[in-house]
Amino acid sequence: MVTKRFLHTMRWKFSFARQAVQRINSQSLLFPSTTRGPPSFLDNIAKGAFNPLKRIAPVFYTKGTHVVPLYEPKEFYTELKTRILSAKKDVFIATLYIGQSERELVDTIRTALKRTDTLRIHILVDCLRGTRTLNGQSTATLLLPLIKDFPGGRVKVSMYHTPDLKGLLKKTLPQRFNESIGLMHMKVYGFDDTVMLSGANLSSDYFTNRQDRSIVFDQQPDLTLYYKGLVECVGSFSYQLGVSEDQTPYQLTMEPDRPDPVKQSGLFKHQMRSQIDKYMSTTLRNPSTPEEHDDTAIFPAIQMGPLGIRQDEKMTMELLEINNRQKSEKEDWWTFHLTSGYFNFTDRYKTCILRTRAYFRFITASPEANGFFGSKGISKFLPPAYTHIEREFYRNVERLGKQDAISIEEYRRPGWTYHAKGLWIRLAQQAWPSVTTIGSTNFGHRSSNRDLEAQAVVVTCNETLQRALDKEVSGLEAYSNVVSGSTFAVQDRKVSYSVRMATAMIKTML
């Protein structure tokens, strides 16, 4: 009996182990082991602490000299126009909207198309925001002449519509209010073999006096191709802008093999999720390898809450967990500079931040720098709503006695609004950041659950790039003031009971 029981136990253990190995082998197709391949510079940054990121997102390697942060809105606009005019094959643009008065930008695209017969343009915008009218004009009416004047598919305009706005909600919510349900929020600008990631949309304030962030990844054909494919994939599940055959200004049609996001919401989500998963897994199965002099790694990450895709959130949480796996002595703590124009971090982020052994330096918009400050209608209550959320977080910091580790600064620059987003990580005993994120994510409930977002994590040991990233942080801090308890005691920072109650109800839409 003992022998039979022993043999039965050993057979069961062997079978279990074989199944486990099979599961590991199948998972490795999607999540390549970080130990494969030759050693890279990543192994030397914080003793290889960032290698686990390769299990979550694809990685592209380059030299830090090809990664260029832009500091001012005018730099962003100049770069955008220059790159469009110099492109020979492809320009692809993903942005929330293009301001209906941006004739100069459209003329730049027109000039580029006339100059180069081989050039093709693909523009992806949000349908709700892109069809919202002001004085009878919208992004759609602005771009329609390009489609008319350059036939043969040289100009394609895709307008993504969230599948969560449907039925009675679709029929009853007016323009602008319906955008609270969900948006295509990615900001990706590609030109042949160069891609620029940004938090900025394409309207005059982002070109003049609205502070945001942009980073150019120059001479990066593989990375650019990845983002081009992503934009094409989302674009294929979007309405296509076309010339109307009746009295309407334009027509919006889905591609023949795609379900309608409003009429077939469930099927739309299933098919789009399947396509995005397939696209990401294909890239993960074919990881790139660094060349001899590469010193910078780029990890693209997306967040598509309506589809259940939470790659960017996993990357951000992994960065926090990587920090927690380091030494716990305060002199060895890392410093996180984290910014968003809208202080509304998810509960998961806040809980993790409050327990993380690190220094956190938040930068957010002051009420005057909030883009909704002084606006008409119900949106005028948004700045005090963000003040309320910020104050509640500050009280949690005080309650835990972590004022020495966690601080909040508010950006205040006369005549400017604040829209920057991202984070920088300065490792222990280092003068400049070694890590940054760049893209459209605000770290809030909307970014996590409602909108489509695109971001990248950049890890570098290139001193020139590290200094450039430090210049970014310093430039934002130069116009920022540290928040204290007395900040919220000022009369104009007090938030009414009705706004506090409303904030609790609509927090996930902010």
Side-chain angles (χ1 to χ4, degrees):
M1 288 294 294
V2 174
T3 302
K4 288 182 179 179
R5 185 178 301 163
F6 174 77
L7 292 174
H8 175 76
T9 301
M10 291 303 295
R11 280 196 297 268
W12 179 85
K13 288 184 177 181
F14 177 76
S15 176
F16 181 82
R18 182 174 58 190
Q19 292 173 12
V21 169
Q22 290 173 344
R23 285 196 300 270
I24 291 171
N25 287 338
S26 64
Q27 290 173 358
S28 68
L29 293 175
L30 287 178
F31 305 101
S33 169
T34 59
T35 60
R36 292 179 183 174
S40 76
F41 66 92
L42 277 177
D43 299 317
N44 300 321
I45 301 178
K47 299 180 179 179
F50 296 102
N51 276 321
L53 297 179
K54 289 187 279 188
R55 298 193 186 108
I56 304 172
V59 57
F60 298 87
Y61 298 99
T62 187
K63 299 174 181 62
T65 51
H66 291 159
V67 181
V68 184
L70 307 179
Y71 304 108
E72 295 287 338
K74 61 183 179 182
E75 292 180 88
F76 167 66
Y77 191 37
T78 298
E79 188 76 22
L80 181 71
K81 291 188 296 181
T82 301
R83 294 286 182 175
I84 290 173
L85 290 172
S86 63
K88 303 301 181 186
K89 298 181 299 179
D90 295 296
V91 170
F92 60 92
I93 291 172
T95 186
L96 176 61
Y97 68 100
I98 300 176
Q100 54 264 55
S101 61
E102 296 307 318
R103 303 290 177 188
E104 183 182 44
L105 179 59
V106 172
D107 287 343
T108 300
I109 296 173
R110 182 181 298 277
T111 299
L113 286 164
K114 288 180 177 179
R115 181 181 295 177
T116 308
D117 292 339
T118 55
L119 182 64
R120 290 180 175 268
I121 308 284
H122 183 197
I123 300 173
L124 169 66
V125 297
D126 182 75
C127 186
L128 301 177
R129 186 66 178 84
T131 55
R132 191 213 292 180
T133 58
L134 180 65
N135 299 323
Q137 299 298 310
S138 65
T139 301
T141 59
L142 178 73
L143 297 176
L144 188 63
L146 290 176
I147 297 175
K148 292 179 179 178
D149 297 343
F150 297 93
R154 292 193 65 197
V155 179
K156 179 180 180 180
V157 178
S158 305
M159 309 192 81
Y160 176 86
H161 190 294
T162 176
D164 289 337
L165 183 65
K166 57 185 179 177
L168 185 62
L169 208 58
K170 173 71 174 176
K171 294 176 182 178
T172 56
L173 279 180
Q175 281 193 339
R176 193 172 187 183
F177 290 93
N178 57 13
E179 295 168 24
S180 64
I181 304 303
L183 297 167
M184 198 298 298
H185 198 246
M186 301 189 300
K187 295 95 164 61
V188 182
Y189 307 104
F191 325 92
D192 290 344
D193 63 354
T194 293
V195 65
M196 177 167 59
L197 300 183
S198 180
N201 297 306
L202 301 183
S203 63
S204 58
D205 50 346
Y206 291 95
F207 306 151
T208 53
N209 62 346
R210 187 159 173 77
Q211 182 65 58
D212 215 308
R213 296 181 62 222
S214 302
I215 293 182
V216 178
F217 298 89
D218 192 27
Q219 301 175 48
Q220 303 302 307
D222 292 339
L223 180 67
T224 305
L225 186 62
Y226 176 84
Y227 278 109
K228 180 187 176 186
L230 175 64
V231 171
E232 288 177 347
C233 189
V234 176
S236 73
F237 282 89
S238 303
Y239 292 113
Q240 306 305 316
L241 179 67
V243 179
S244 177
E245 297 177 356
D246 52 33
Q247 299 302 311
T248 55
Y250 51 81
Q251 67 176 11
L252 297 174
T253 56
M254 293 296 294
E255 294 186 0
D257 59 339
R258 297 301 192 210
D260 188 283
V262 178
K263 299 175 183 177
Q264 302 166 289
S265 176
L267 181 61
F268 177 91
K269 287 184 178 182
H270 173 76
Q271 287 194 10
M272 185 172 177
R273 166 68 189 259
S274 177
Q275 284 293 110
I276 296 291
D277 278 345
K278 181 180 179 181
Y279 183 73
M280 291 193 301
S281 63
T282 299
T283 310
L284 282 166
R285 282 197 297 267
N286 299 281
S288 61
T289 55
E291 296 181 0
E292 182 180 357
H293 298 293
D294 286 344
D295 52 24
T296 301
I298 305 155
F299 300 87
I302 61 174
Q303 185 82 1
M304 299 182 175
L307 308 179
I309 296 171
R310 316 189 74 86
Q311 186 185 39
D312 180 65
E313 184 178 342
K314 291 176 182 177
M315 289 289 280
T316 303
M317 291 299 297
E318 182 63 24
L319 288 173
L320 295 170
E321 292 302 329
I322 287 171
N323 168 83
N324 283 335
R325 292 195 283 268
Q326 308 308 305
K327 293 181 179 179
S328 60
E329 292 78 9
K330 276 198 169 185
E331 60 269 20
D332 295 316
W333 282 11
W334 294 359
T335 299
F336 287 71
H337 294 272
L338 200 152
T339 189
S340 173
Y342 308 112
F343 199 100
N344 187 28
F345 300 101
T346 65
D347 294 337
R348 188 180 185 195
Y349 284 154
K350 285 190 290 188
T351 299
C352 188
I353 287 168
L354 289 171
R355 69 172 176 81
T356 295
R357 298 185 300 271
Y359 296 103
F360 284 90
R361 305 291 180 255
F362 293 97
I363 304 175
T364 191
S366 66
E368 297 82 1
N370 187 297
F372 296 101
F373 184 76
S375 62
K376 297 178 181 179
I378 196 170
S379 60
K380 69 181 179 183
F381 296 109
L382 290 176
Y386 287 114
T387 288
H388 172 61
I389 296 169
E390 181 185 336
R391 182 179 62 182
E392 290 300 298
F393 180 79
Y394 182 81
R395 286 177 174 174
N396 285 333
V397 173
E398 282 190 316
R399 194 176 299 119
L400 295 171
K402 301 197 72 170
Q403 298 95 317
D404 61 330
I406 301 175
S407 66
I408 304 173
E409 297 179 40
E410 291 182 345
Y411 185 93
R412 184 178 281 102
R413 187 176 181 182
W416 285 60
T417 56
Y418 190 75
H419 198 248
K421 53 195 73 72
L423 65 80
W424 303 259
I425 303 176
R426 184 159 46 85
L427 307 183
Q429 318 299 329
Q430 289 197 357
W432 314 295
S434 296
V435 181
T436 193
T437 65
I438 180 66
S440 61
T441 304
N442 277 302
F443 306 107
H445 291 273
R446 282 200 63 117
S447 292
S448 291
N449 303 312
R450 294 185 177 275
D451 297 341
L452 305 192
E453 308 282 8
Q455 185 159 256
V457 176
V458 181
V459 183
T460 186
C461 61
N462 181 283
E463 184 177 319
T464 300
L465 178 54
Q466 290 176 339
R467 286 177 178 270
L469 297 176
D470 187 63
K471 182 179 176 181
E472 267 197 304
V473 179
S474 300
L476 300 179
E477 289 181 333
Y479 295 98
S480 303
N481 300 308
V482 177
V483 167
S484 66
S486 61
T487 301
F488 304 106
V490 178
Q491 183 61 36
D492 63 4
R493 297 301 298 272
K494 293 183 178 179
V495 182
S496 67
Y497 176 79
S498 59
V499 170
R500 296 200 302 270
M501 292 299 100
T503 301
M505 290 187 287
I506 65 169
K507 194 175 182 179
T508 62
M509 298 180 180
L510 298 176

